[in-house]
Amino acid sequence: MKFSLITSTLGEDRHDKIVRLIHSLIKQKHQDFELIIVDQNENNDLKEKLKSYTEKLNLIYLKHNRRGLTAGRNLGLRYVSGDIIAFPDDDCWYSESLLESIKKWFVDNEQWDGLCGCTIDLDGNLTSTKWDSTAGEINKFNIWRRAISSSIFLKAPAINDIQGFDETLGPGANSPWQCSDETDYLLSLLSQNKKLHYDPEIKVYHLEPITQYNQQALVRAKRYAPGTGRVLKKHSYPFWFVAIALLRPILGTLYYATKMQGWRAKFHWLIFQGRLNGWLSSK
């Protein structure tokens, strides 16, 4: 069973992180994989940095002048030759037994089209979102607690019926909708009756993106929240679900305001505003 791992990257500050991912792949117990790196930087510094690794693993380097994470992934999808497709972020990395565990799971569970796990930090603490603690099938409503791009593994035949990632979504896209691209992609698979499973025992290393609530956190909230609203509208979520998605950050705003935690209260307020604006502005 061969894996095709697609990593799209932009920014010189990501180069060392990609090397960390590569080192984790070199150590994998299961070595039947290809790493497809889509470089969206203007210069060729990353290409030079990767030259020393071409003999250590099956590395495919692609240059892409179009910006946007989803545009990079779509380019990478044209070059895959594996049985299982994954989308590791340039700042995530794998434990030595991860690919071996994924392979065994698919061998033992042939009825499923995809497997999703969670993300953890160096100490094993969950990161990135509030993950479900129990395994089970992914559906339209629980997908927000059961999937994130760096821990998605899909059978190659399962993705043949969809057109790829929506390039108006995700980091770097030429739109206000800078997140939820992977959720949109998986929702498209679910609409094609593909069966996706979530297992919290599948863990990918990915550090918590927000470690303190400051101006940088506010910028992130303002940038990413509209994408959630966009995907809620695009996939025709019922109003009750949208209302819950809007109510939670409102409650967070009120709670942290009473605790005199102004930065955190504003963070949740920006999430509310972004989700609402993304939902209202979407056709």
Side-chain angles (χ1 to χ4, degrees):
M1 183 178 291
K2 182 179 180 180
F3 289 79
S4 290
L5 313 173
I6 302 172
T7 297
S8 185
T9 186
L10 174 64
E12 293 188 13
D13 60 322
R14 319 294 282 190
H15 293 184
D16 289 340
K17 295 180 174 66
I18 292 176
V19 170
R20 179 177 60 188
L21 170 63
I22 289 174
H23 285 173
S24 76
L25 293 175
I26 292 172
K27 297 177 182 178
Q28 288 297 302
K29 295 179 181 178
H30 180 81
Q31 282 291 310
D32 192 5
F33 65 83
E34 60 187 6
L35 175 61
I36 302 172
I37 293 182
V38 183
D39 182 5
Q40 295 179 303
N41 293 288
E42 293 183 1
N43 57 44
N44 292 316
D45 292 352
L46 180 59
K47 184 177 182 180
E48 292 300 315
K49 196 177 189 71
L50 296 176
K51 282 184 177 180
S52 61
Y53 296 101
T54 55
E55 296 182 358
K56 297 179 181 179
L57 76 168
N58 184 2
L59 177 61
I60 300 172
Y61 172 87
L62 304 174
K63 190 74 172 179
H64 199 26
N65 293 325
R66 291 181 60 187
R67 297 294 179 89
L69 179 64
T70 50
R73 287 175 175 166
N74 284 339
L75 175 63
L77 283 170
R78 300 178 195 170
Y79 291 83
V80 298
S81 61
D83 307 294
I84 305 296
I85 314 299
F87 308 95
D89 291 335
D90 56 7
D91 58 347
C92 81
W93 69 102
Y94 292 170
S95 65
E96 294 181 9
S97 60
L98 181 70
L99 294 185
E100 183 179 64
S101 298
I102 301 296
K103 173 192 172 183
K104 184 179 186 304
W105 189 91
F106 275 107
V107 170
D108 295 338
N109 298 274
E110 295 181 355
Q111 72 274 27
W112 296 95
D113 297 298
L115 173 65
C116 297
C118 60
T119 56
I120 59 172
D121 63 17
L122 286 168
D123 297 319
N125 301 311
L126 297 173
T127 63
S128 302
T129 190
K130 293 183 178 179
W131 295 99
D132 274 353
S133 59
T134 57
E137 186 168 2
I138 295 174
N139 60 43
K140 184 175 182 178
F141 300 105
N142 66 27
I143 192 171
W144 303 92
R145 306 184 308 275
R146 295 189 167 194
I148 201 166
S149 59
S150 56
S151 58
I152 293 171
F153 299 87
L154 303 170
K155 285 183 178 177
I159 67 175
N160 290 336
D161 295 332
I162 61 174
Q163 295 181 346
F165 286 86
D166 182 345
E167 295 187 12
T168 67
L169 296 170
N174 186 25
S175 79
W177 308 312
Q178 299 288 301
C179 78
S180 299
D181 45 292
E182 73 271 48
T183 306
D184 170 72
Y185 188 73
L186 295 183
L187 286 169
S188 297
L189 287 174
L190 291 176
S191 71
Q192 298 289 333
N193 297 316
K194 305 304 181 184
K195 291 175 62 65
L196 306 177
H197 187 82
Y198 165 73
D199 188 345
E201 294 303 312
I202 300 299
K203 297 179 173 69
V204 172
Y205 287 106
H206 194 293
L207 300 182
E208 180 62 53
I210 298 175
T211 56
Q212 56 182 327
Y213 292 88
N214 51 21
Q215 185 62 40
Q216 186 176 357
L218 298 187
V219 170
R220 181 182 177 89
K222 189 174 182 179
R223 181 190 304 142
Y224 283 11
T228 300
R230 163 63 176 163
V231 171
L232 290 172
K233 176 58 72 71
K234 179 180 177 181
H235 291 274
S236 303
Y237 274 83
F239 181 75
W240 65 264
F241 191 90
V242 177
I244 292 174
L246 296 175
L247 180 61
R248 284 175 176 166
I250 291 177
L251 294 177
T253 301
L254 295 174
Y255 175 79
Y256 289 110
T258 62
K259 296 291 185 179
M260 304 300 291
Q261 297 183 33
W263 284 102
R264 200 160 184 175
K266 191 171 183 180
F267 175 84
H268 283 83
W269 180 249
L270 288 173
I271 290 178
F272 161 72
Q273 286 185 317
R275 288 180 180 178
L276 179 62
N277 291 337
W279 185 70
L280 291 176
S281 65
S282 302
K283 295 181 180 179

